[in-house]
Amino acid sequence: MSTPSQSPAPSTSRRPSVGAILLEFLGSMNLAITLLVAVAVASVIGTVLKQNEPYQNYIVKFGPFWFETFQSLGLYDVYSAGWFLVILAFLVISTSVCIYRNAPHMLRDMRSYRLNAREESLRAMHANHEWAVALPAAEVERRVAAGLRGKGYKLRRKEHGDHTVVAAMRGASNRLGYLLTHLAIVIICAGGLIDGNLPLKLKELTGRIAVETRDIPASQVPRESWLPVGNPSFRGSVTVPEGSSANILFLRLRDGYLIQPLPFSIELRDFRVEHYESGQPKSFESDLVITEPGAPPVETTIAVNHPLIHKGYAIYQASFSDGGTRMKLSAWALNTRESRNQSFDGAVFDSLKVETSQGPMTLELDDFRLFNINPAEEGSGKRFRNFGPNFTFKLRNAAGEAREYENYMLPVEFDGRPFFLSGVRSSVAEPFSYLHLPADPQGGLERFMRFNALLRDPARVSDIALQTTRETFGEAPPDNAGLIQEVATTMQRLVDLFARGGFDAIAAQVEQTVPEDKRAEVLDAYIKVLRNILTALYFEVLEAEGADLGGGVSERDAQFYDDAINALAVLSRYGSPFFLQLNSFEHVQASGLQIARAPGKNVVYLGFALLIAGVFVMFYISHRRLWVRLRERDGRTEVLFAGSGNRDQRDFRREFERLVQALDARFRSG
């Protein structure tokens, strides 16, 4: 009788769910390493590339193409870039999943003595040894336990019918090292996210704040660009002049800024700075007064690397600058026949409207420096010398084009002769080109300016040109009576060319009007004629000063003449209708403060402490296990001793051999 055949049951292998796959991916080692490498690369970029600079600085440094490329990648504020915050968030999630998946197993492994180890498994271990001892099993166990406890091992035992297993373990906390390091990564990243700009980015995405890009006073900044006083995390800066106070900060964000109000006011009583011989700042400090409603004022001094921590706000001494130095200035006209100067008052950061021979312009007073240390001339016996105070300003025309100038207050000696220095450049990417105006015997500019004004007086130049022409022809006047006037007019044009463009203008005129084979001869003749007229004008300046020219010109006055001609020859490149001279000043300094509120800082510190502890535990504590299998047979006890360690197998092998020797000695004793 046959029975009906039964078909085998179909295979029902279950596919993992999407959640399980996602959990596996987030907790994978590959993802964690990739994220850590990305964070490391971003940190390198943030270290090499100076962060949160004005965008104009990056444009000058990299050019328009690379500026836009780096801007699109968020490299100018790496630690607040969206992609960096996303990487941190994923790193936190990945490491947390890894802890979630592995922590229970590791904790169980720390408590498990594995008392069910089989004989085959123990024999398969690299470290094992066997004895046959003529002692009862209980006595052998006692001696084994005493020996292992003496070496710091914790023991557990279990009866298995015909045999007993004694398991020993030391360094189980090694497993905690893995957990601590992973937990430290989570805590550090969480602290970074707390102190990052993630809340600001979320507010910006939701339209609750807007970055201000205009250079306007704080009082005119719209409320959309103000943050709440209770903002939990920020880092901003403010410049406070001496005698002034501030209760807001400016938080730089991409190409603009946000305003962070403070719950207190910071007043700068005094600012002090010390310099090295080279002129570099040695140290600087600020005397501050912190005031807030309902609390007594707090007076303190902060310096570099010595901040003030006030109610969770860290106030750092970050920099210093001019705080609005008040100056008395004189403007000497350079392209008119007037040699008088116009005096006026100004202060750093002022913007003044001025009428000039080139039309209306804006004078922007930018900065003032009390000391200007430069390398000394060779042979002077000194390494450095101080050029004295200077100030910088911009002169902007009606079209918005500006040139930047750097003028020194006191004459600076070169080759034993004093000069007033003025640097000029068309953009911050260029170095300054310096104009050297010779100082007269009284240490001023009056002689040079009178000489320059006389050069630009057409009537006086015409008279001297005519007089010089007549003296040249002497007692033999030409037949053509108009020739003298024609020659004088030509000489006057030479002077006008020189006044407008220097020797280069005369050379250009010769190149355009004279055949090539005669240019050198004509140019030499023009220069001789020009110098005759310039000499006559200079003599007139000296006579106006009361000089007696009967005995000739002194060597000092002759040298001044040469220096003045050199300055006049390049004056057309100066680009300013006047020379701005600093007569006196009232120095006002300002302290650059950086104020931060970082509640995540302590979280990060905790994370680093855990990281150090975890690394120490992992590298300096070895997890080692030992097993002793005891079986009594025919009046003897068979002992199987085996062990394993998770680090430095060579060192564990040596320890195991020492334990074997110690146990062997115990078995033979008594």
Side-chain angles (χ1 to χ4, degrees):
M1 186 174 177
S2 63
T3 58
S5 62
Q6 295 181 352
S7 60
S11 176
T12 58
S13 59
R14 295 182 57 188
R15 298 181 62 184
S17 64
V18 175
I21 295 175
L22 182 61
L23 202 63
E24 180 73 23
F25 170 73
L26 290 176
S28 67
M29 181 67 71
N30 292 339
L31 176 62
I33 292 176
T34 302
L35 293 173
L36 284 173
V37 170
V39 171
V41 171
S43 299
V44 170
I45 295 173
T47 302
V48 174
L49 181 60
K50 196 170 183 180
Q51 301 287 287
N52 291 311
E53 286 282 290
Y55 274 15
Q56 183 62 35
N57 294 1
Y58 295 121
I59 294 175
V60 172
K61 186 174 183 179
F62 300 118
F65 174 78
W66 288 112
F67 164 76
E68 293 181 2
T69 302
F70 294 160
Q71 181 188 14
S72 63
L73 295 174
L75 300 187
Y76 304 135
D77 190 8
V78 170
Y79 304 115
S80 298
W83 57 266
F84 182 78
L85 296 176
V86 169
I87 289 174
L88 281 186
F90 263 99
L91 185 58
V92 169
I93 295 172
S94 175
T95 311
S96 300
V97 170
C98 184
I99 295 173
Y100 169 76
R101 295 178 61 197
N102 295 298
H105 170 71
M106 290 183 177
L107 293 175
R108 284 195 303 269
D109 191 57
M110 289 172 57
R111 298 190 299 267
S112 174
Y113 282 77
R114 301 180 184 176
L115 292 166
N116 295 319
R118 299 175 60 186
E119 182 178 0
E120 294 80 1
S121 300
L122 298 180
R123 292 184 186 278
M125 292 181 181
H126 293 291
N128 66 78
H129 191 81
E130 296 185 51
W131 292 273
V133 183
L135 292 172
E139 179 61 19
V140 172
E141 181 180 344
R142 185 186 67 79
R143 296 187 183 189
V144 167
L148 295 182
R149 286 195 178 98
K151 297 297 182 180
Y153 283 86
K154 294 181 179 180
L155 280 67
R156 297 287 187 276
R157 67 181 300 277
K158 184 176 181 180
E159 295 283 351
H160 291 274
D162 63 338
H163 68 278
T164 302
V165 174
V166 177
M169 184 165 53
R170 190 180 73 179
S173 58
N174 172 269
R175 293 293 188 179
L176 286 177
Y178 294 94
L179 297 177
L180 290 177
T181 52
H182 285 71
L183 184 61
I185 293 174
V186 173
I187 292 175
I188 291 172
C189 292
L193 289 172
I194 291 173
D195 287 345
N197 281 347
L198 185 59
L200 292 183
K201 287 188 174 296
L202 294 177
K203 289 181 180 179
E204 188 177 6
L205 290 174
T206 57
R208 295 164 60 188
I209 60 170
V211 177
E212 179 58 66
T213 58
R214 297 171 295 173
D215 186 11
I216 57 177
S219 58
Q220 299 179 16
V221 174
R223 301 311 301 177
E224 293 80 9
S225 300
W226 287 68
L227 298 171
V229 177
N231 189 21
S233 173
F234 60 83
R235 180 180 292 272
S237 58
V238 65
T239 300
V240 185
E242 289 177 313
S244 301
S245 61
N247 59 359
I248 61 170
L249 297 177
F250 294 91
L251 274 61
R252 187 171 297 280
L253 191 63
R254 297 191 305 279
D255 58 340
Y257 59 90
L258 298 170
I259 292 183
Q260 173 65 60
L262 299 171
F264 49 82
S265 177
I266 304 176
E267 179 187 355
L268 177 63
R269 288 280 178 86
D270 187 36
F271 179 82
R272 295 174 297 279
V273 58
E274 295 182 10
H275 296 85
Y276 290 105
E277 183 186 3
S278 62
Q280 295 297 319
K282 181 179 181 181
S283 64
F284 43 96
E285 58 185 22
S286 301
D287 293 339
L288 303 179
V289 179
I290 312 296
T291 58
E292 57 184 314
V298 177
E299 298 186 14
T300 187
T301 298
I302 65 170
V304 178
N305 298 325
H306 294 85
L308 167 67
I309 307 299
H310 179 72
K311 296 185 177 180
Y313 295 83
I315 305 174
Y316 300 92
Q317 177 69 75
S319 62
F320 64 91
S321 62
D322 192 87
T325 294
R326 292 175 281 276
M327 299 177 288
K328 292 187 178 297
L329 304 166
S330 293
W332 298 86
L334 294 179
N335 52 11
T336 69
R337 58 185 179 181
E338 294 292 335
S339 64
R340 292 177 297 177
N341 62 59
Q342 180 181 357
S343 299
F344 63 95
D345 295 341
V348 173
F349 310 127
D350 281 353
S351 182
L352 309 173
K353 301 294 183 181
V354 292
E355 291 293 335
T356 72
S357 58
Q358 299 178 9
M361 289 187 167
T362 303
L363 174 63
E364 302 170 2
L365 300 173
D366 291 339
D367 198 9
F368 173 89
R369 292 182 63 183
L370 185 61
F371 300 105
N372 289 275
I373 310 298
N374 294 275
E377 294 177 317
E378 294 184 5
S380 64
K382 299 180 179 179
R383 295 177 56 200
F384 304 98
R385 62 170 175 163
N386 182 15
F387 282 12
N390 77 350
F391 68 105
T392 58
F393 63 94
K394 291 186 183 71
L395 198 58
R396 194 177 303 276
N397 60 23
E401 300 170 335
R403 285 193 174 192
E404 185 179 12
Y405 296 86
E406 179 184 66
N407 288 12
Y408 287 81
M409 177 181 181
L410 304 174
V412 180
E413 281 196 6
F414 291 97
D415 297 327
R417 306 191 303 277
F419 294 88
F420 285 93
L421 298 184
S422 178
V424 58
R425 62 183 179 184
S426 299
S427 73
V428 294
E430 301 175 1
F432 281 106
S433 298
Y434 285 91
L435 175 69
H436 293 65
L437 300 185
D440 55 32
Q442 289 72 38
L445 284 168
E446 285 78 4
R447 177 184 289 186
F448 177 83
M449 292 302 172
R450 283 197 297 269
F451 188 18
N452 177 66
L454 199 58
L455 180 68
R456 301 173 192 281
D457 187 346
R460 192 69 196 116
V461 171
S462 177
D463 291 344
I464 293 179
L466 187 60
Q467 179 182 347
T468 303
T469 304
R470 287 171 177 168
E471 291 175 355
T472 302
F473 284 106
E475 297 179 356
D479 296 335
N480 185 357
L483 182 59
I484 292 179
Q485 184 61 46
E486 184 178 346
V487 172
T489 301
T490 301
M491 295 174 68
Q492 186 176 355
R493 289 174 182 169
L494 283 177
V495 174
D496 182 61
L497 272 176
F498 177 77
R500 288 188 286 111
F503 292 116
D504 292 342
I506 295 176
Q509 179 69 18
V510 169
E511 187 175 349
Q512 292 177 4
T513 58
V514 179
E516 185 176 358
D517 57 338
K518 296 183 179 180
R519 287 175 185 171
E521 181 181 354
V522 172
L523 181 60
D524 185 60
Y526 279 179
I527 296 300
K528 289 180 180 179
V529 171
L530 176 64
R531 283 194 172 273
N532 287 337
I533 298 180
L534 293 177
T535 301
L537 292 173
Y538 182 60
F539 283 176
E540 186 169 322
V541 171
L542 294 180
E543 289 173 351
E545 293 179 1
D548 183 9
L549 302 179
V553 179
S554 67
E555 182 180 353
R556 183 177 182 180
D557 289 341
Q559 185 62 65
F560 182 94
Y561 170 75
D562 290 338
D563 293 335
I565 294 300
N566 292 335
L568 291 169
V570 298
L571 200 59
S572 59
R573 306 175 195 167
Y574 188 58
S576 172
F578 53 79
F579 181 88
L580 208 55
Q581 184 180 17
L582 175 60
N583 299 318
S584 63
F585 61 88
E586 183 181 344
H587 193 202
V588 179
Q589 299 187 96
S591 178
L593 304 177
Q594 188 176 82
I595 303 178
R597 191 179 186 189
K601 177 181 64 176
N602 294 330
V603 177
V604 173
Y605 288 163
L606 173 61
F608 274 110
L610 292 178
L611 182 62
I612 293 171
V615 170
F616 179 86
V617 169
M618 279 198 302
F619 283 93
Y620 292 97
I621 297 179
S622 177
H623 188 196
R624 297 180 176 184
R625 292 178 177 274
L626 300 173
W627 290 269
V628 181
R629 188 176 187 276
L630 305 173
R631 182 171 63 179
E632 193 171 350
R633 180 185 297 177
D634 300 330
R636 300 175 66 86
T637 301
E638 297 175 353
V639 182
L640 174 58
F641 182 42
S644 67
N646 71 331
R647 287 182 47 78
D648 197 352
Q649 296 301 319
R650 183 181 299 177
D651 182 64
F652 174 74
R653 184 72 181 181
R654 288 196 295 265
E655 181 184 352
F656 186 81
E657 291 174 356
R658 289 194 296 267
L659 288 172
V660 168
Q661 295 172 4
L663 291 178
D664 190 63
R666 284 180 176 273
F667 294 155
R668 293 183 181 183
S669 64

